[in-house]
C-alpha cells in the first residue's frame, strides 16, 4: 500500500486544430430564421447570455456555436431515438458477455492490462452506460451508427441546454424537450444499485481537468442535474492515499466513495505521479476491481467504448450468432460493416479509426483501391490498433457563419441515458469530424412548412 499521496489524472493539454472554412458541393441547406440584425450581432444575442454555462461557443479563435437553426422531421426524431435504444440494448447484451470472457478477448478488444480486472465488475448490466452518445450519419441507406462514445461523452451542454435556448430564441419547437429529468433518473438509479451492492456512497465527486473549460463545465452541468449531493474536484486535485482515491480540499485529503470522471479509462490506465512515476491510474483501477471505489460511467461503459466491439458485434451478426432475429435486423439496419482487418480492399471505400480515438483523431479515408483520400492531421491516437469500417457519404448542409456561407458534413449525436434514448445534437464539419466542427442547433418542423423552412 502506498502511504504517500500521489497525484491522479495530470495530462497534457491538447490544442484544437483550426477549422478550415471551405466550400464543398452540397444539396441540403440549413434554414436561417430571417433577422434584421447582422449575423454577428444575432449570434451575440443568442450566445452572450449563455456563457456562464456554455463558454466555448468560440474556441481557439474559431466559431464553434452557430447562430442558425436546422429543422428535422418528427419521423427522423423518432427513428434516431428508436435506433439509439435498439443499439443500446445490443451493446448491453454484448458487453455483459464480454465481461465474463477470458482475458484474451479483452486484450483483443484493446482493454489495457491495468483494467482487465476492473472491467469485469458488474454494476447494472442492462444499463451499459449512465450517459453515452451514439454518433449517426444520414446516408442513402438510412441512418447509420458510426461509433459509440459510451465512456466519456461530450456535447452534453449543447444538447441538453443550449439547443433549448436556441429554439426559444428562434421561436421554434425543441426536439429535446424534457430530457434533463433523465439525467437525474439515471444517476439516481446507478447510485441505488451501488448501494444495494454494499458500496459506500456518502462522498461523491465529479471530476474533469480544471483548466479545460468545456470538460469542466460539462461535468459541472451533469453534477447540477444529477440530483446527487456531490462536489466538483478537478483531476489535478485528486490523490491516492492510504489505499483510497482522495480529493485534496483545503489541504485535507477526503476519501471518495463514488467518482464521476470525464477522464477516459484508457488514459487513466497510463496515469502516473509525475514526481515519482507512481502508477496512480493502475491503483485507481485496482480500487475499482476490489470494490473500494464506485465509478460513473461504470466499467461496462469502457468495454462499450472500444470500437473493436463494433467489429465483434458485426462478426457475430455475419455468422448469425448470439443475437435474436430482431436484433440481427437492427444491426443490419443501423450499423456498418466493421472489422479488425481490411476486408474492403479492392471492393469498396473504407475508413480506418483507432479503437479509442476521439474527435476524428487518427482517422483516415480510403478509396476501394487503397488510395488515401484524407487523414487527420493531428498527432494523437496513431499508435492504437485500428478498425476498418465501410465508408459512407455524409449529408452535406450549408450554414451561415461569421466567415460567410459554409458547407459541411452533418454528424448526429444521440444520447443514451440510463438505457433510454435522450437528447439529440448536430455538428457540421469536414469529411473527418474534428473537435472544432461546429455545433448546429436543431428544431422540429411544424405541421405547416414553407419552402422547407422551419417556421
Amino acid at each position: 500500500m502506498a502511504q504517500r499521496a500521489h497525484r491522479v489524472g495530470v495530462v497534457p493539454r491538447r490544442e484544437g486544430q483550426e477549422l478550415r472554412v471551405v466550400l464543398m458541393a452540397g444539396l441540403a441547406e440549413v434554414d436561417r430564421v430571417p433577422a434584421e440584425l447582422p449575423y454577428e450581432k444575432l449570434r451575440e444575442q443568442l450566445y452572450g447570455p449563455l456563457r456562464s454555462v456554455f463558454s466555448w461557443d468560440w474556441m481557439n479563435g474559431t466559431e464553434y456555436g452557430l447562430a442558425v437553426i436546422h429543422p428535422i422531421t418528427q419521423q427522423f426524431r423518432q427513428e434516431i431515438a428508436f435506433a439509439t435504444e435498439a443499439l443500446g440494448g445490443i451493446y448491453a447484451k454484448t458487453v455483459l458477455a464480454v465481461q465474463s470472457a477470458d482475458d484474451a478477448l479483452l486484450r483483443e478488444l484493446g482493454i489495457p492490462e491495468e483494467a482487465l480486472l476492473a472491467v469485469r465488475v458488474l454494476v447494472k448490466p442492462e444499463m451499459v452506460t449512465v450517459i453515452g452518445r451514439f454518433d449517426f450519419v444520414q446516408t442513402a441507406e438510412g441512418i447509420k451508427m458510426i461509433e459509440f462514445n459510451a465512456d466519456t461523452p461530450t456535447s452534453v451542454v449543447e444538447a441538453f441546454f443550449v439547443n433549448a435556448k436556441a429554439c426559444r430564441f428562434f421561436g421554434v419547437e425543441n426536439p429535446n424537450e424534457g430530457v434533463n429529468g433523465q439525467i437525474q433518473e439515471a444517476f439516481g438509479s446507478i447510485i441505488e444499485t451501488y448501494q444495494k451492492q454494499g458500496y459506500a456512497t456518502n462522498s461523491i465527486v465529479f471530476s474533469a481537468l480544471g483548466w479545460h473549460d468545456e470538460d469542466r463545465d460539462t461535468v459541472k452541468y451533469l453534477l447540477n442535474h444529477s440530483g446527487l449531493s456531490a462536489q466538483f474536484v478537478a483531476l489535478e486535485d485528486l490523490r491516492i492515499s492510504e489505499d483510497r482515491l482522495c480529493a485534496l480540499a483545503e489541504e485535507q485529503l477526503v476519501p471518495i466513495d463514488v467518482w464521476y470522471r470525464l477522464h477516459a479509462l484508457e488514459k487513466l490506465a497510463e496515469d502516473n505521479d509525475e514526481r515519482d512515476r507512481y502508477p496512480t491510474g493502475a491503483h485507481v483501477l485496482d480500487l475499482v476491481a476490489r470494490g473500494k471505489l464506485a465509478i460513473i460511467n461504470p466499467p461496462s461503459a469502457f468495454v462499450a467504448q472500444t470500437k473493436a466491439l463494433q467489429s465483434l458485434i458485426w462478426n457475430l451478426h455475419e455468422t448469425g450468432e448470439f443475437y435474436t432475429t430482431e436484433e440481427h435486423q437492427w444491426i443490419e439496419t443501423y450499423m456498418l460493416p466493421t472489422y479488425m482487418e481490411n476486408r474492403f480492399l479492392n471492393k469498396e471505400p473504407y475508413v480506418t479509426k483507432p479503437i479509442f480515438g476521439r474527435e476524428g483523431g487518427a482517422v483516415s479515408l480510403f478509396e476501394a483501391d487503397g488510395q488515401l483520400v484524407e487523414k487527420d492531421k493531428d498527432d494523437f491516437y496513431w499508435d492504437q490498433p485500428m478498425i476498418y469500417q465501410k465508408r459512407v457519404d455524409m449529408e452535406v448542409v450549408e450554414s451561415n457563419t461569421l466567415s460567410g456561407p459554409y458547407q459541411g458534413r452533418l454528424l448526429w449525436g444521440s444520447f443514451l441515458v440510463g438505457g433510454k434514448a435522450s437528447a439529440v445534437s448536430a455538428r457540421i464539419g469536414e469529411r473527418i469530424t474534428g473537435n472544432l466542427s461546429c455545433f448546429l442547433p436543431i428544431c422540429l418542423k411544424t405541421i405547416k412548412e414553407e419552402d422547407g423552412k422551419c417556421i
Side-chain angles (χ1 to χ4, degrees), residues 43-44 47-48 51 54-59 62-66:
R43 187 183 183 283
E44 184 60 28
Y47 289 109
R51 291 191 182 116
F54 177 63
S55 61
W56 55 98
D57 63 285
W58 186 266
M59 280 199 274
T62 301
E63 182 180 17
Y64 170 63
L66 299 178

Side-chain angles (χ1 to χ4, degrees), residues 126-127 129-132 182 185-186 416-420:
E126 68 275 19
M127 186 192 292
T129 183
V130 173
I131 179 166
Q182 292 178 290
E185 182 180 348
L416 182 74
V417 180
K420 300 176 182 178

Side-chain angles (χ1 to χ4, degrees), residues 363-406:
V363 170
S364 300
L365 312 180
F366 295 89
E367 299 290 9
D369 62 3
Q371 180 181 353
L372 178 66
V373 176
E374 187 174 337
K375 71 174 184 177
D376 175 53
K377 294 177 174 59
D378 282 347
D379 297 328
F380 303 93
Y381 308 121
W382 290 101
D383 58 341
Q384 294 184 11
M386 298 282 176
I387 61 161
Y388 297 80
Q389 188 176 76
K390 179 181 176 180
R391 183 177 139 206
V392 291
D393 290 329
M394 300 170 68
E395 181 182 3
V396 178
V397 296
E398 181 179 286
S399 173
N400 235 351
T401 74
L402 286 170
S403 301
Y406 170 71

Side-chain angles (χ1 to χ4, degrees), residues 21-47:
V21 180
V22 298
L23 294 180
M24 297 169 288
L27 300 175
E29 181 176 347
V30 174
D31 296 283
R32 305 173 184 81
V33 175
E36 297 179 1
L37 290 175
Y39 179 84
E40 182 177 3
K41 292 184 178 180
L42 183 74
R43 187 183 183 283
E44 184 60 28
Q45 283 195 3
L46 170 58
Y47 289 109

Side-chain angles (χ1 to χ4, degrees), residues 234-291:
L235 287 171
E236 305 95 293
D237 294 327
L238 298 179
R239 302 288 187 272
I240 290 289
S241 180
E242 302 293 337
D243 201 33
R244 295 292 301 274
L245 177 64
C246 300
L248 179 62
E250 298 179 354
E251 299 185 357
Q252 299 292 318
L253 292 176
V254 181
I256 298 170
D257 297 321
V258 182
W259 185 38
Y260 176 87
R261 79 250 132 54
L262 191 58
H263 187 49
L265 286 194
E266 78 272 12
K267 297 294 185 184
L268 179 65
E270 299 173 350
D271 283 346
N272 54 64
D273 191 321
E274 59 188 10
R275 298 171 301 178
D276 61 5
R277 315 307 297 173
Y278 182 80
T280 52
H283 196 148
V284 172
L285 289 167
D286 182 57
L287 294 176
V288 174
R290 289 187 282 127

Side-chain angles (χ1 to χ4, degrees), residues 132-365:
R133 190 192 76 241
F134 284 106
D135 284 345
F136 289 91
V137 294
Q138 181 71 272
T139 76
E141 299 175 354
I143 59 173
K144 297 290 183 179
M145 186 270 292
I146 58 174
E147 59 188 64
F148 186 24
N149 300 283
D151 189 37
T152 54
T154 54
S155 295
V156 172
V157 177
E158 292 92 315
F160 287 82
F161 173 73
V162 182
N163 201 80
K165 298 295 185 182
C167 286
R168 185 176 304 170
F169 180 83
F170 287 108
V172 292
E173 186 177 354
N174 178 23
N176 298 331
E177 190 67 36
V179 293
N180 276 299
Q182 292 178 290
I183 296 175
Q184 181 171 336
E185 182 180 348
F187 275 90
S189 178
I190 199 75
I191 292 296
E192 181 181 1
T193 300
Y194 272 125
Q195 290 171 339
K196 288 180 179 178
Q197 293 181 357
Y199 284 80
T201 59
N202 295 318
S203 175
I204 304 176
V205 163
F206 283 56
S207 293
L209 290 168
W211 54 260
H212 194 288
D213 293 348
E214 179 184 1
D215 287 4
R216 180 195 64 235
D217 291 346
T218 294
V219 168
K220 287 185 176 181
Y221 185 86
L222 287 172
L223 188 161
N224 291 335
H225 288 82
S226 69
L228 303 178
S229 178
Q231 62 177 322
F232 176 84
V233 178
L235 287 171
E236 305 95 293
D237 294 327
L238 298 179
R239 302 288 187 272
I240 290 289
S241 180
E242 302 293 337
D243 201 33
R244 295 292 301 274
L245 177 64
C246 300
L248 179 62
E250 298 179 354
E251 299 185 357
Q252 299 292 318
L253 292 176
V254 181
I256 298 170
D257 297 321
V258 182
W259 185 38
Y260 176 87
R261 79 250 132 54
L262 191 58
H263 187 49
L265 286 194
E266 78 272 12
K267 297 294 185 184
L268 179 65
E270 299 173 350
D271 283 346
N272 54 64
D273 191 321
E274 59 188 10
R275 298 171 301 178
D276 61 5
R277 315 307 297 173
Y278 182 80
T280 52
H283 196 148
V284 172
L285 289 167
D286 182 57
L287 294 176
V288 174
R290 289 187 282 127
K292 297 192 69 173
L293 176 67
I295 59 172
I296 306 173
N297 279 311
S300 55
F302 182 50
V303 180
Q305 176 75 37
T306 170
K307 296 179 185 65
L309 195 74
Q310 292 177 254
S311 173
L312 176 62
I313 293 172
W314 190 261
N315 274 275
L316 290 170
H317 167 60
E318 283 192 323
T319 58
E321 299 176 0
F322 190 63
Y323 304 108
T324 65
T325 300
E326 188 175 47
E327 289 166 342
H328 278 294
Q329 182 179 351
W330 294 338
I331 294 168
E332 184 71 30
T333 301
Y334 297 118
M335 292 186 68
L336 289 168
T338 306
Y339 307 98
M340 293 301 295
E341 65 280 339
N342 192 351
R343 299 190 187 178
F344 301 105
L345 192 60
N346 297 319
K347 295 179 181 178
E348 56 185 333
Y350 59 95
V351 182
T352 60
K353 303 177 182 180
I355 59 173
F356 287 118
R358 289 170 171 81
E359 299 286 0
V363 170
S364 300
L365 312 180

